Amino acid sequence: MKVVAVRALRVLLVLLALAFCGYSVASQWDDTVRAFQQMSWPTLVAALAAGLAGLFVWMLGWREFLGGLGSPLPVRAIFRISGISQLGKYVPGKVWALVTQIEMTREHKVPPERSFGSTLLAVATSTACGLAVAAVTLPLTSQTARDEYWWLFLLAPVLLVLLHPKIVTWALGTMLKLIRRPPLEHPVSLAATLKAIGWTVLGWALFGVHTWLLCMAVGGDGAGLPFVATGAYALAFVAGFLVFIAPGGIGAREAALTVVLTPVLPAGAPVVVAIASRVLLTAADLINAGVAFLLGRTAPRAGNEPPTEALVTGTQPTKEGP
């Protein structure tokens, strides 16, 4: 009965997320059409591909944290969980993606504590690395970014330090204790953390390519444009994330992106880039979710299912002698 209720809730959440996605696109339909008319289809397809690639490597970063906590999962299972659960970010509030992700990892015998911890680590890493990317690319290329968002740049080194495994272990342990959940069996290693950071930074670079292609399509040029575009998107994403109530950071992300890009693009072009980016990345999320639904759950073959302990700890079962 509980399984049926969970699945029904998941379907309801997906339908609600799709409704919010549809509303966000429909509410800007005329602006979206005008924005796309200013860009060639090859550019739009390339920007969409860069966005899909960025989402994929971010998913691999989350996989590193989940495996580091003791629950390694195959890429196909991770893709299905991430593709479906990320639709929850379009529902107002920031908890729905997390709740869906925890429930879906249960199907793979992952304890909620590990799913919860790995997701928080992935979010913290994307935020810290995003601010670091913005702090590296924008101060020397964007006077506007320095004037408007200097205080966010100061947070970058602090957040990166907080990703150290010893600090993370203490923070997660304290949080789990407060919500009366069992502690984690072991902390994430430094090696797993560095791998996750590497995937996350690669994701930011791919989103930078996505934004740069759109900027080029509306008349942007100059040797510094790739750096401004990358930093602008990273800063805008973090700004959107900090606005808790806005689904998917709608409004806040576009505002920050427009502010930073205004000095380096023709008049009116930053708004076009912001709208096109929002629609393309929404389409990327929907494509991922659609592929995830088609993949279905990766079920082990009968007779080859590993014991629960192996699924939970990530260890291989040992062979006993005759």
Side-chain angles (χ1 to χ4, degrees):
M1 194 69 179
K2 182 181 178 181
V3 174
V4 174
V6 169
R7 288 179 178 174
L9 181 61
R10 186 186 305 167
V11 171
L12 179 62
L13 179 62
V14 170
L15 292 175
L16 188 61
L18 290 175
F20 275 104
C21 286
Y23 173 77
S24 66
V25 174
S27 63
Q28 305 179 80
W29 183 254
D30 292 338
D31 292 334
T32 300
V33 171
R34 284 194 292 269
F36 280 16
Q37 286 175 342
Q38 297 184 42
M39 302 177 184
S40 67
W41 282 108
T43 296
L44 293 173
V45 171
L48 175 62
L52 284 167
L55 292 173
F56 183 79
V57 298
W58 271 7
M59 177 203 72
L60 296 179
W62 172 56
R63 180 173 181 257
E64 290 292 342
F65 281 126
L66 190 60
L69 289 175
S71 293
L73 292 180
V75 173
R76 179 171 177 171
I78 287 289
F79 183 88
R80 179 175 180 269
I81 295 168
S82 179
I84 295 174
S85 65
Q86 286 307 298
L87 288 179
K89 69 186 181 184
Y90 291 96
V91 180
K94 301 293 184 182
V95 299
W96 302 112
L98 173 61
V99 170
T100 308
Q101 202 157 275
I102 290 175
E103 288 303 321
M104 292 188 71
T105 53
R106 283 179 184 268
E107 298 175 359
H108 298 272
K109 310 299 182 184
V110 177
E113 297 77 28
R114 293 181 187 174
S115 182
F116 175 77
S118 64
T119 301
L120 287 187
L121 285 173
V123 171
T125 301
S126 64
T127 303
C129 291
L131 285 179
V133 167
V136 168
T137 56
L138 290 180
L140 297 179
T141 57
S142 174
Q143 178 67 41
T144 302
R146 290 198 301 271
D147 294 341
E148 297 287 336
Y149 298 104
W150 60 269
W151 56 277
L152 278 176
F153 298 151
L154 297 179
L155 288 177
V158 176
L159 293 179
L160 288 175
V161 169
L162 292 178
L163 293 178
H164 191 280
K166 288 186 177 180
I167 299 176
V168 165
T169 300
W170 173 82
L172 286 178
T174 302
M175 195 174 300
L176 290 171
K177 186 176 181 180
L178 289 175
I179 61 177
R180 299 182 179 180
R181 298 298 303 180
L184 296 170
E185 294 89 339
H186 55 81
V188 177
S189 67
L190 181 59
T193 300
L194 292 176
K195 288 180 182 178
I197 289 175
W199 286 121
T200 304
V201 172
L202 176 58
W204 282 121
L206 289 166
F207 287 121
V209 172
H210 158 88
T211 311
W212 172 67
L213 288 170
L214 297 179
C215 289
M216 290 285 288
V218 293
D221 58 15
L225 185 61
F227 300 99
V228 176
T230 301
Y233 183 83
L235 186 64
F237 184 95
V238 173
F241 176 77
L242 294 178
V243 180
F244 187 84
I245 193 62
I250 292 176
R253 185 192 301 180
E254 286 75 17
L257 193 61
T258 300
V259 167
V260 178
L261 292 179
T262 293
V264 297
L265 294 181
V271 175
V272 172
V273 170
I275 293 174
S277 176
R278 166 64 67 179
V279 173
L280 288 175
L281 293 178
T282 299
D285 282 324
L286 293 175
I287 290 171
N288 281 342
V291 174
F293 273 114
L294 292 176
L295 285 175
R297 181 184 174 188
T298 306
R301 294 180 180 179
N304 293 329
E305 184 172 355
T308 301
E309 181 181 357
L311 285 169
V312 171
T313 63
T315 59
Q316 295 296 321
T318 57
K319 295 183 179 179
E320 296 183 10

